[in-house]
Structure formats: C-alpha cells, structure tokens
Amino acid sequence: MAYDRQLGLYPDDVGAALDRSALALDTADYETVRRLCAPVLESDRKADAFHCLAMAAYREGRHEEAIKLYDQAIAGECFDTALAHWNRSLALQSIGRYQEGWAEHEYREKQVTDNGMAAIMRPFRLPRWQGEPAPARLHLHQEMGLGDTLAMARYAPMLVAQGYDVRMEVNDSLVSLFTRSFPTVAMMPKAIDYPAAFGIDMFDYHCPMLSLPAVMKTDIGTVPWNGAYVTADPDLAQEYRALLPKECKIGLCWSSGIRKEGLWIAEYGRRKSMNFCDLSPVLSRGNFVSLQV
C-alpha cells in the first residue's frame, strides 16, 4: 500500500516501481509486474525491468520467453547480474537444457541477494573440485533440502568408481540411509557450526552437492541412472511387510515442505503439492500407503 501511495504521488519513481514489482512477484500478481515495468523499460533501469519480467514469465511457465528476457537483463547489467544468471538456470532446466542450466546454476555463489545461499557454497579454504583427476579425497557437502541431496547422492558411487576417496556431509536424518546405501562412501552429519567446518576431516577438494551436475557436464541424456540407489533398513522393511497387505502396495507423498518464511517460498511449496482430498478418486484402486511426514 505504501508503494502504491508513493507511485500515486510520483508516478515516475522508477525505484518504487521496481520495488513494488518485486512484491507483486511474491504475490503472483504478474499483471501488476508487467504494468509497472512497462514504463521502466524506457529508463536507465530497463535491465532491472527485464529481470522482473523474466521472473514473471518463468513463474507463468513461459520458459523460452523468460530466457530471452534474462538475456536482456544480463546484457544490460541489471542489479545482481549473477542472480539473473541463476534464475535463468531454472528456466533452462525446465525445458531440458540441463548442461546450460547447470552451468548457469553455478552463479548462485556470486549473487548478492541471498547471502546464505552463497555462503553454503564456500565454507572451506581448501579448493573447490572442478574435475581434477583421481586419486584425491573429495568432500561433498549438502546445500539445500533433503530432496536435492537425495537426487545428487547418485553421483557419489560414480566418483568412487573413478578412484576418488569420497566423503559426504549431510543432514543428520540422512546419515544412516546413506551409510547403508553407499557403503564405499564415508558419511558424516553436518558440522555443528555448519556451514563452517568444525570437526570435518581434511580433504583435497570440496564440492557443494548441487555443483556435481555442472562439474560432470550432465545433460538430459546423461543423467546418472542405474536403477534404485537407496536402501531401506531391512529390519524396518520386515516389520512393515508384516503389517501391510501382501498385495501390491503404492506409497504416496502428496505435499512438499510448505514453509512460512516468505510469500514466494510458501507459494512455491504449494505449487509442488496437492491436497489429500484430490486423491480420493484413485484410492479405491489399490493398496495405498501414506509416506507423508
């Protein structure tokens, strides 16, 4: 409301228009983003307007258009150009241009808007692994949520097979699962002062886990997949096998982690989720088991 009053008094206030556009992005009010950015495109802040318009296009699923708008924002040297590169990576990945997308994803270290995301990438003074050959000890460390870590863990056995001594630092809740699933990889919980390194053994190179696809130059046709790669606790599996029907069982998880720290984060969580009641038409067709935490 305060920005709207400011723009009512000073309609040519470019800074207020861009700040109000950022709020409109967080509330999915993309028409307001386009309306406010249109006059800014005629100013010396047009690169920032392109960045806002690109984010709106991406969130509406217009990924090719978003990529072109990000290109214009970057070429015009918008504020936090590295963030524009990182945002561009998400649009590239959304249309299967994985190798380009993972390369752009590396800009998350250089962006200045989210200091936490950048800090997690560089917690050590020792060098970052850029594909230097084995033998070497690699310390892989978790960055984001559990889902990202589970997805990136598939690279660890590949690196062991190439001759690396691989260590992995992950959330406490993943240590036992990964120890069981990857017996050739040394597992450890996050350092007590994470993202610092109290108690972490020495290594030759470290690598944030979300950098593995970029270093390995993963494209849509080379995503590592040799079948299931995580192993359940056999005792727990036997316990639940005795409790559940013997017929085919289908596990369901219908909601992502919907967090409250920011409007867009909550909206992002909702977009990855569905309501349990939406599943009712299919629940009579099999033996379903809730995997929802």
Side-chain angles (χ1 to χ4, degrees), residues 168-172 175 187-192 200:
M168 195 182 298
E169 179 189 5
V170 297
N171 188 281
D172 292 12
V175 171
M187 296 295 164
M188 64 197 72
K190 284 183 178 179
I192 59 174
I200 298 298

Side-chain angles (χ1 to χ4, degrees), residues 107-272:
Y107 278 91
R108 66 196 184 282
E109 179 187 12
K110 299 177 182 178
Q111 54 80 34
V112 296
T113 300
D114 186 340
N115 290 327
M117 182 164 59
I120 289 172
M121 287 192 68
R122 49 173 183 262
F124 308 108
R125 293 184 180 179
L126 291 169
R128 175 100 49 85
W129 183 60
Q130 301 293 344
E132 290 82 359
R137 176 176 288 183
L138 300 184
H139 181 80
L140 312 181
H141 48 100
Q142 179 175 340
E143 288 185 68
M144 305 296 181
L146 302 183
D148 289 334
T149 307
L150 284 162
M152 295 300 111
R154 70 186 68 202
Y155 287 91
M158 293 175 55
L159 294 170
V160 171
Q162 294 175 17
Y164 294 98
D165 175 9
V166 180
R167 312 298 176 94
M168 195 182 298
E169 179 189 5
V170 297
N171 188 281
D172 292 12
S173 62
L174 292 175
V175 171
S176 62
L177 174 66
F178 281 3
T179 299
R180 188 167 53 249
S181 303
F182 309 113
T184 59
V185 179
M187 296 295 164
M188 64 197 72
K190 284 183 178 179
I192 59 174
D193 57 346
Y194 181 85
F198 183 80
I200 298 298
D201 291 339
M202 290 296 292
F203 51 81
D204 298 308
Y205 304 99
H206 76 94
C207 186
M209 292 184 72
L210 283 171
S211 290
L212 289 169
V215 179
M216 304 290 280
K217 300 188 181 336
T218 301
D219 212 338
I220 194 166
T222 59
V223 175
W225 179 249
N226 293 313
Y229 56 88
V230 290
T231 304
D233 182 323
D235 293 333
L236 282 175
Q238 182 60 37
E239 177 183 338
Y240 281 94
R241 192 175 290 116
L243 293 173
L244 296 171
K246 296 187 183 303
E247 297 85 359
C248 176
K249 296 174 283 294
I250 304 164
L252 293 176
C253 182
W254 56 87
S255 180
S256 176
I258 302 175
R259 301 180 293 277
K260 296 181 179 179
E261 69 274 16
L263 292 170
W264 169 245
I265 291 295
E267 174 64 19
Y268 178 63
R270 282 191 290 271
R271 290 187 182 197
K272 296 194 296 178

Side-chain angles (χ1 to χ4, degrees), residues 14 18 21 25 33 37-55 66-85 87:
V14 170
L18 289 169
S21 294
L25 283 168
V33 175
C37 285
V40 181
L41 293 173
E42 305 301 322
S43 74
D44 59 357
R45 298 285 304 277
K46 64 181 180 181
D48 295 309
F50 282 131
H51 196 176
C52 289
L53 292 168
M55 292 177 72
I67 291 165
K68 293 178 181 177
L69 290 165
Y70 283 129
D71 289 341
Q72 290 175 285
I74 292 164
E77 298 183 349
C78 64
F79 175 77
D80 204 349
T81 302
L83 182 65
H85 278 284
N87 284 329

